[in-house]
Each structure stands twice: as C-alpha cells, then as structure tokens.
Amino acid sequence: MSAWIDVASLDDFAASDAIAVAAAGREIAIYLVEGEVFATANRCTHGDAQLCEGFLEGHEIECPFHQGRFDVRTGAALCAPATVALATYPARIESGRIELRID
Ligand code: FES
C-alpha cells in the first residue's frame, strides 16, 4: 500500500476550484467540490487538453477543448467526444493540506 503524498495546500484553490500538480511523475488535476477533494489525470483522454483549465460544475469537469465531460469521483467519461475514463487517485484534506495516494 502506497503512502499519502502531500501535494498542495487548500489555499491553492483560492483562485480556482481545479488545480494541477505534478506528483510521482504524473500530471494530476485536483478538484474541490463542496469541501471535498477529488483527483484525476490532468490530461483529457480525448486530446491534449488540461482538465484543470476546464469548467467544473458539481462533480463534472468539462474539457476546455471539445466539451467532453468526466465525473471527477470515478473518472467516467460522461459524454462525447470523451469515451475513455480518466485515471483517478485517492485524495484527502489533512490539516489544510491536500494529500494523494498514487500507486
Ligand atoms: Fe478533451 Fe477533446 S480534448 S474532449
């Protein structure tokens, strides 16, 4: 079982409810939704877009390129042209810090 990795501060969400971090050699997007954090691969599975620059509505992130949508809780692709799910990572808030587990 991998350890939790400290990757960001809750304060990093001051300007946006979606941020990007690099951890364990991966580009990961972290989303703040109603006081909870969720983490997925930052790159869209349809093209070369960064989801941290997309539009977050509830638990859905909309890709900034072609408006594919994903559920940030499961990574599931919700509408065309996105058809392949995103990788997801366990995420939590600990004393104002954001931690991820990356296997
Ligand atoms: Fe994301 Fe096309 S690059 S939907």
Side-chain angles (χ1 to χ4, degrees):
M1 173 90 110
S2 55
W4 290 95
I5 305 172
D6 182 313
V7 294
S9 165
L10 203 46
D11 295 340
D12 295 335
F13 290 95
S16 172
D17 47 16
I19 64 170
V21 301
R26 298 173 206 207
E27 280 284 322
I28 296 172
I30 306 175
Y31 315 93
L32 181 64
V33 183
E34 295 167 10
E36 276 189 278
V37 284
F38 302 90
T40 71
N42 192 27
R43 176 150 317 173
C44 183
T45 56
H46 178 250
D48 194 19
Q50 295 199 312
L51 295 172
C52 64
E53 295 176 357
F55 175 64
L56 184 66
E57 184 171 32
H59 290 98
E60 295 184 13
I61 183 71
E62 182 180 86
C63 177
F65 276 15
H66 313 113
Q67 289 71 55
R69 285 176 164 254
F70 300 90
D71 188 316
V72 301
R73 296 167 293 190
T74 62
L78 300 175
C79 76
T83 56
V84 178
L86 297 166
T88 59
Y89 304 94
R92 70 180 184 186
I93 302 170
E94 280 290 306
S95 303
R97 302 293 305 175
I98 311 302
E99 297 181 342
L100 302 182
R101 233 177 43 219
I102 303 168
D103 291 326

